[in-house]
């Protein structure tokens, strides 16, 4: 019996050991959705693994659950990056911060939570610490958790290089998410001659295309909102005005010419709510301006960049990018 238990513990340890190979970049879409509470599309979050670095970009609803599904300890994330301060990009922060502190195989952060973001990031972490002070006090006293691991190491950043460690460089690029949503960032991740670009939330902005020229992977947001819905709920007109249509995203893809273009943070809204976002409308409208390889991102879709770019679904099955239009 004891041998059996020991085997289970050892297996569990191995299950939680996770990383990319020495030279590759692995990108996993943890959340491809929006504030809409779809069970299959959690809100914005993307994991980038490069060498020893595990970097998380945006911390939307359910990001902790997706990391758990991928067998990546919450405390193993080496740095966190926020694109902008909309709630669907940060609402998962308290969960990841506090759950990642708990002394378990799936958490156990040992040092301060490193986080970079636009103006307001530092203030947010300070206020979260005040808001959860009782939980922190109780766990330090009752569970003897290390106080340094619930601290924040936060920084408000400007466009430019914001992270450079173990050969991994992260550069913030300012994007246009609307006049009143500033600053808003996209991010460029570079490692061992490979490049990934995340657009963040944005209207059509050629700064993304310029940053993504020669990129292996360009992950871009997109929005389709049914006109009837905008009539019934005028706020959707403002939402649509702050995002990229499939035609506009396709123009960015055509200018940048990445090895692979990917949609994530898919704003799809209809008068009659649907649980799943259909591919057809996205693909047809994108093909009006872009003829290259394309993947419609789903939660837990992953990409490995190691010379070529390969894609896999949540179950690990290979995904063939949509063929170029003929």
């Amino acid at each position: 019996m004891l041998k059996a238990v020991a085997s289970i513990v050892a297996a569990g340890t191995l299950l939680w050991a996770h990383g990319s190979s020495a030279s590759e970049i692995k990108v996993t879409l943890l959340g491809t959705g929006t504030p809409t509470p779809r069970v299959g599309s959690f809100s914005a979050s993307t994991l980038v693994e490069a060498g020893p670095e595990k970097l998380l970009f945006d911390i939307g609803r359910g990001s902790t659950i997706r990391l758990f599904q991928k067998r990546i300890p919450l405390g193993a994330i080496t740095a966190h990056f926020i694109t902008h301060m909309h709630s669907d990009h940060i609402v998962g922060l308290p969960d990841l911060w506090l759950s990642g502190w708990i002394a378990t195989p799936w958490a156990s952060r040992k040092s301060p939570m490193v986080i970079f973001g636009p103006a307001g990031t530092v203030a947010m972490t300070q206020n979260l610490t005040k808001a959860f002070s009782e939980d922190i006090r109780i766990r330090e006293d009752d569970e003897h958790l290390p106080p340094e691991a619930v601290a924040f190491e936060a920084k408000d950043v400007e466009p430019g290089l914001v992270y450079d460690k173990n050969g991994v460089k992260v550069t913030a690029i300012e994007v246009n998410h609307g006049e009143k949503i500033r600053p808003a960032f996209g991010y460029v991740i570079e490692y061992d001659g490979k490049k990934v670009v995340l657009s963040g939330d944005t209207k059509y902005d050629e700064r993304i295309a310029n940053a993504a020229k020669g990129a292996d992977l360009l992950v871009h947001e997109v929005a389709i909102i049914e006109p009837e819905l905008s009539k019934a709920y005028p706020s959707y007109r403002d939402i649509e005005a702050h995002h990229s249509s499939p035609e506009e995203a396709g123009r960015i893809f055509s200018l940048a010419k990445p090895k692979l273009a990917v949609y994530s943070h898919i704003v799809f809204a209809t008068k009659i709510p649907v649980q799943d976002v259909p591919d057809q409308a996205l693909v047809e409208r994108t093909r009006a301006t872009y003829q290259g390889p394309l993947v419609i991102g789903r939660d837990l879709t992953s990409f490995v960049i190691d010379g070529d770019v390969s894609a896999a679904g949540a179950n690990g099955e290979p995904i063939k990018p949509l063929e170029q239009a003929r």
Side-chain angles (χ1 to χ4, degrees), residues 42-93:
F42 290 168
S43 54
S45 189
T46 302
L47 174 69
V48 178
E49 299 172 87
E53 298 294 301
K54 288 182 173 60
L55 311 177
L56 193 64
F57 294 83
D58 284 332
I59 314 169
R61 178 198 302 127
S63 50
T64 53
I65 296 170
R66 295 300 189 217
L67 287 168
F68 188 90
Q69 286 178 281
K70 295 300 293 183
R71 298 286 179 180
I72 297 176
L74 307 183
I77 305 300
T78 47
H80 310 72
F81 302 82
I82 295 171
T83 58
H84 64 292
M85 303 303 280
H86 266 151
S87 61
D88 54 315
H89 294 255
I90 56 176
V91 73
L93 172 57

